[in-house]
Amino acid sequence: MTKDIFDIAVAGAGPAGLAAGLAAAKSGLRTVVVGPPPAVRDRRTSALFGGSIELLKKLANWERIEPQSAPLRGIRIVDAGTSFLRAPEVLFEARDAGLKAFGFNIPNSILTEVLEDAAESSLTRLHAAVTTISIEPDQVALATSAGTEVFARLVVAADGRASSTRSAAGIEVAQWDYPQSALVARFAHTRDHRGISTELHRQVGPLTVVPGPGLTSNLVWIDTPDEVARLQEFDDATFIYELEQRLRGLLGRLSEMSPRQSFRLSGQTAKCLARNRVIVAGEAAHVIPPIGAQGLNLSFRDA
C-alpha cells in the first residue's frame, strides 16, 4: 500500500503553527497541522503590526477579528526614570506615516479561533499531540496521541520553546535569563486611550499599557522578581491603587482588573533554523521578552 505523504506537516497548533500551516496551504502545498487545541481560554492579547495584519487578511477571516480588536493609532514613549534630567515625551502617530493604525491589539482567543476555522477548511487538521518523531532520509514520520501516524517531506516545528520536534532534528538552542519578571493583566478605565499605547520607561524595566476594545487596556509591567511577587500578593483594590499611582491619571480611574499572571523573563534562540527535514518557527525558533510586541510578529514572519 502506498503511504499518504504530505508536503508539509506542522507540529503545534497555536497561532504560530496555524499561520505557518495556512501559509503553506495557500502556497499550494498539501499540509497537515497536528496539535491539540488550547486546554484553557487564553486571556492574553497580541499587538500585531502591518506585516502580520496583511498576512492575517490573506489567510483568515479578518472581518471576524477586527471588530473585537483595538486599533493602535499611536505609540507614546515616556521617560519615567528618577533622573533629574529626563528625555522629553515622544508620541508617534500612525496618521503621520499616512496610516490609519500601526496595527491592532487582538485577543489571543479570537485570533486562535479564527485561524482554527480557516485551517479546518484549508488543510488537514489533526487535534492530537505529536508523541514521537522519526526522521528518515526521504520523509518524517509523526506518531500522535490519537494513535495515528503522519508522514511528511518537511516538518515545521511550531511546538513551543521546549519543542520536542526541534530536539528530534538535533537543533540546539542558546538560552539566557533576565533579572526581571513580567506581570500581565487586563483592566477597565474611565478615560479614553484614543488608541495610543503608552510605554513608561524606568530603570527596572518598562511599564506598558496597550489599548483594548472600548475603555479597556492591557498591562505589561516589567520589574524585579521581588517587586512583581509583592504586587501579586495585593488584592485588586490595592493593586489598582498602585497602578494608578504609576499612570498618574493617564487613563482616569481604573477598575475590573482581570486575574494577574506573572512570569520570569528569559530568552532563547535556535542555533540553526533548519536541519534534517525540520524547520523551526515561533517560540521553537526564538523566545523574546514581551517588549515592543516582537514575539508573535516574528512568528508570523516565520510563517
Side-chain angles (χ1 to χ4, degrees), residues 27 89 141 151 162 179 202 289:
S27 298
E89 179 179 311
F151 300 92
R202 309 164 304 139

Side-chain angles (χ1 to χ4, degrees), residues 113-193:
E113 179 182 308
V114 172
L115 288 172
E116 280 279 22
D117 288 349
E120 293 289 352
S121 61
S122 303
L123 48 82
T124 301
R125 176 73 177 92
L126 297 182
H127 296 268
V130 175
T131 54
T132 59
I133 304 103
S134 177
I135 299 174
E136 302 169 11
D138 59 348
Q139 66 184 22
V140 181
L142 306 176
T144 76
S145 57
T148 57
E149 195 168 27
V150 174
F151 300 92
R153 303 198 185 283
L154 187 71
V155 172
V156 178
D159 47 349
R161 65 179 66 194
S163 170
S164 58
T165 313
R166 181 190 63 217
S167 297
I171 298 175
E172 298 180 344
V173 297
Q175 298 174 307
W176 59 94
D177 295 315
Y178 295 95
Q180 296 164 302
S181 291
L183 185 152
V184 297
R186 184 185 67 253
F187 61 94
H189 42 80
T190 58
R191 184 168 293 172
D192 189 355
H193 50 53

Side-chain angles (χ1 to χ4, degrees), residues 160-281:
R161 65 179 66 194
S163 170
S164 58
T165 313
R166 181 190 63 217
S167 297
I171 298 175
E172 298 180 344
V173 297
Q175 298 174 307
W176 59 94
D177 295 315
Y178 295 95
Q180 296 164 302
S181 291
L183 185 152
V184 297
R186 184 185 67 253
F187 61 94
H189 42 80
T190 58
R191 184 168 293 172
D192 189 355
H193 50 53
R194 297 186 295 116
I196 296 173
S197 179
T198 299
E199 300 177 10
L200 305 177
H201 287 259
R202 309 164 304 139
Q203 281 84 351
V204 290
L207 188 160
T208 304
V209 284
V210 185
L215 293 176
T216 67
S217 288
N218 296 88
L219 169 69
V220 181
W221 185 336
I222 294 177
D223 217 302
T224 65
D226 288 346
E227 177 64 8
V228 168
R230 185 182 77 90
L231 294 169
Q232 279 288 62
E233 292 177 355
F234 292 156
D235 59 28
D236 282 356
T238 305
F239 180 78
I240 285 173
Y241 173 79
E242 289 277 339
L243 182 56
E244 285 180 337
Q245 299 308 300
R246 304 306 195 281
L247 295 180
R248 299 180 181 180
L250 175 70
L251 295 172
R253 296 294 302 275
L254 311 184
S255 62
E256 300 178 30
M257 186 65 59
S258 73
R260 287 161 265 153
Q261 296 176 294
S262 64
F263 50 91
R264 286 293 299 265
L265 297 189
S266 62
Q268 177 177 287
T269 183
K271 293 186 177 181
C272 68
L273 299 180
R275 176 178 290 164
N276 296 331
R277 294 187 176 269
V278 172
I279 294 175
V280 291

